[in-house]
Amino acid sequence: MGIQLSLLVTVVILLAGWVAGVLPFLKFIFGVILPYVALAVFAIGLIVRVLRWARSPVPFRITTTCGQEKSLPWIKQNKLDNPSSALGTLGRMALEVLFFRSLFRNTKASLKDDRLVYSVDKWLWFFSLAFHWSFLIIFLRHFRFFTEPIPFFVGFLQDIDGFFQVGLPIIYITDVAILVALTYLFLRRIFNAKVRIVSLPSDYFPLLLILGIAVTGVLMRYFLKTDLVAVKEFAVSILSFQPISNELLNKLSPLFMIHFTFVCTLLIYFPMSKLVHLGGIFMSPTRNLANNNRMKRHINPWNPVVAVHTYEEYEDEFREKMKAAGIPVEKEE
Ligand code: HEM
């Protein structure tokens, strides 16, 4: 059911983008109003989520670890897995964000001769990394549409990405990688029964949405050309709050309008979806804290004041009676 619903919503967005590309009056709504709504929802939504996380109290160090914490001198500390300093935490975080280090430990559980066995499984790590890096590089390459002059890194990325110089226009490695990786991630949710049973529409939909963006982008670059000069003028006008003429809007092809509508939908959906882990990873106390639990005593700041009755007080109260009953006391008076 989750897959069908996600597919249906994706097709509806695709059709909406296409209709907007064909009907001039809708082009204004989808080409001018929608991107501003999308940018505002994205920015405000992300800020609200980050502020909400920032407000959550974290009185203890709750790092998830796979190695020894700093303690006695003869126990070897695992400095990257279980850092006790800010620098170590930075290193751990960088490896997590850039290389998905914890996902590298992913294992697969299966039944062999009625016994549960765990085996190494690096595919999820590999395709996740391929997808995220490709997305980032594609996004950065798109700056050739968003800014004038074009930033220095765009040419550099284009050269590296088109390194193999296959075909014309040159095929980008990231275009192939993002399509293959997204297809793997989607099919994994369908054909792996254990993953399928825990998958929801909110798992399928982002994959389909990003697949929609990538497929329409690839179609535009390699098969159905679009007016790139018009696209650039359009994107720069939107980002610099300049008015956009109907003449310019009419130069935008229906395929571009589908690509663009998918992108705007992604921006709107982003803050309320699991994709917000983009910001969440940096705010996660299981990852961003140095683990110094054995070095330093952390006391919960909002512990209620508990009225205790110490032994000294108890003895003071009952000393005479204790002595009379022959019970030993610590203080005679
Ligand atoms: C989430 C953001 C986006 C993603 C992931 C994305 C993805 C892609 C991909 C994979 C391609 C194939 C060619 C390439 O890799 O350069 C592409 C092409 C294209 N995209 Fe995007 N896109 C995004 C946002 C946008 C936006 C906001 C615009 C315009 C305002 C845009 C305009 C285009 C155009 C015009 C092409 C064709 C490029 C060419 O013919 O060389 N894209 N996009």
Side-chain angles (χ1 to χ4, degrees):
M1 186 59 206
I3 308 167
Q4 289 91 324
L5 183 67
S6 309
L7 254 171
L8 182 75
V9 176
T10 312
V11 171
V12 169
I13 299 165
L14 187 150
L15 287 176
W18 179 72
V19 173
V22 181
L23 300 178
F25 78 98
L26 274 183
K27 252 191 183 158
F28 180 75
I29 298 177
F30 279 70
V32 182
I33 298 178
L34 182 65
Y36 285 122
V37 171
L39 284 171
V41 171
F42 178 76
I44 296 171
L46 210 58
I47 291 171
V48 167
R49 296 286 310 245
V50 169
L51 287 181
R52 224 188 284 159
W53 285 320
R55 270 212 307 269
S56 319
V58 185
F60 302 117
R61 303 290 163 127
I62 52 169
T63 36
T64 46
T65 71
C66 289
Q68 269 295 336
E69 166 181 348
K70 185 170 176 172
S71 57
L72 298 168
W74 43 271
I75 298 177
K76 192 161 178 268
Q77 181 201 2
N78 191 330
K79 288 192 176 148
L80 264 181
D81 257 333
N82 212 335
S84 51
S85 67
L87 193 69
T89 314
L90 208 73
R92 184 170 101 134
M93 201 68 173
L95 286 175
E96 187 66 36
V97 171
L98 300 176
F99 303 113
F100 302 179
R101 187 164 178 260
S102 61
L103 190 58
F104 191 69
R105 297 205 174 96
N106 180 42
T107 52
K108 186 171 66 184
S110 52
L111 279 179
K112 237 182 216 158
D113 303 329
D114 283 343
R115 281 176 55 201
L116 185 66
V117 284
Y118 291 93
S119 48
V120 174
D121 183 6
K122 301 281 183 238
W123 289 116
L124 180 62
W125 170 80
F126 177 77
F127 285 113
S128 299
L129 204 63
F131 159 65
H132 283 83
W133 272 104
S134 302
F135 192 109
L136 177 67
I137 294 169
I138 291 168
F139 174 69
L140 292 176
R141 276 200 288 94
H142 270 62
F143 272 72
R144 76 187 162 116
F145 297 125
F146 307 152
T147 53
E148 187 56 54
I150 297 173
F152 70 96
F153 57 80
V154 172
F156 171 72
L157 286 177
Q158 281 177 348
D159 288 348
I160 297 190
D161 209 349
F163 176 77
F164 289 116
Q165 307 224 333
V166 180
L168 240 171
I170 289 173
I171 296 176
Y172 288 133
I173 304 165
T174 48
D175 284 354
V176 179
I178 200 169
L179 290 180
V180 173
L182 282 169
T183 307
Y184 170 85
L185 295 172
F186 187 68
L187 293 183
R188 168 180 166 267
R189 289 205 177 268
I190 294 178
F191 291 114
N192 184 334
K194 278 171 279 168
V195 182
R196 188 182 169 133
I197 204 158
V198 293
S199 293
L200 297 168
S202 56
D203 295 307
Y204 299 113
F205 181 60
L207 287 172
L208 287 173
L209 194 59
I210 300 172
L211 206 55
I213 297 175
V215 170
T216 47
V218 163
L219 282 177
M220 257 192 298
R221 178 172 167 83
Y222 303 102
F223 304 103
L224 303 162
K225 299 285 173 206
T226 201
D227 184 344
L228 295 185
V229 177
V231 167
K232 171 130 195 181
E233 202 185 331
F234 166 74
V236 171
S237 306
I238 291 273
L239 292 175
S240 56
F241 300 99
Q242 301 292 321
I244 295 166
S245 66
N246 279 338
E247 200 190 339
L248 176 59
L249 283 176
N250 287 335
K251 286 189 192 157
L252 303 174
S253 67
L255 187 56
F256 171 77
M257 286 310 292
I258 300 175
H259 189 65
F260 192 69
T261 308
F262 273 137
V263 173
C264 291
T265 312
L266 183 69
L267 287 177
I268 293 172
Y269 180 61
F270 201 94
M272 60 192 98
S273 72
K274 67 178 197 176
L275 301 174
V276 78
H277 70 266
L278 169 82
I281 179 84
F282 297 101
M283 307 290 289
S284 168
T286 58
R287 301 258 172 255
N288 67 11
L289 293 171
N291 192 359
N292 58 4
N293 282 325
R294 288 181 195 155
M295 294 154 63
K296 188 168 174 257
R297 183 160 184 232
H298 299 279
I299 294 173
N300 191 345
W302 66 91
N303 270 349
V305 182
V306 180
V308 289
H309 194 213
T310 63
Y311 179 73
E312 280 88 350
E313 288 164 353
Y314 171 88
E315 204 181 274
D316 286 347
E317 200 177 333
F318 295 108
R319 182 165 295 109
E320 295 315 316
K321 290 195 174 80
M322 287 166 79
K323 278 188 192 168
I327 298 171
V329 287
E330 283 185 356
K331 270 201 285 179
E332 284 303 321
E333 279 308 311

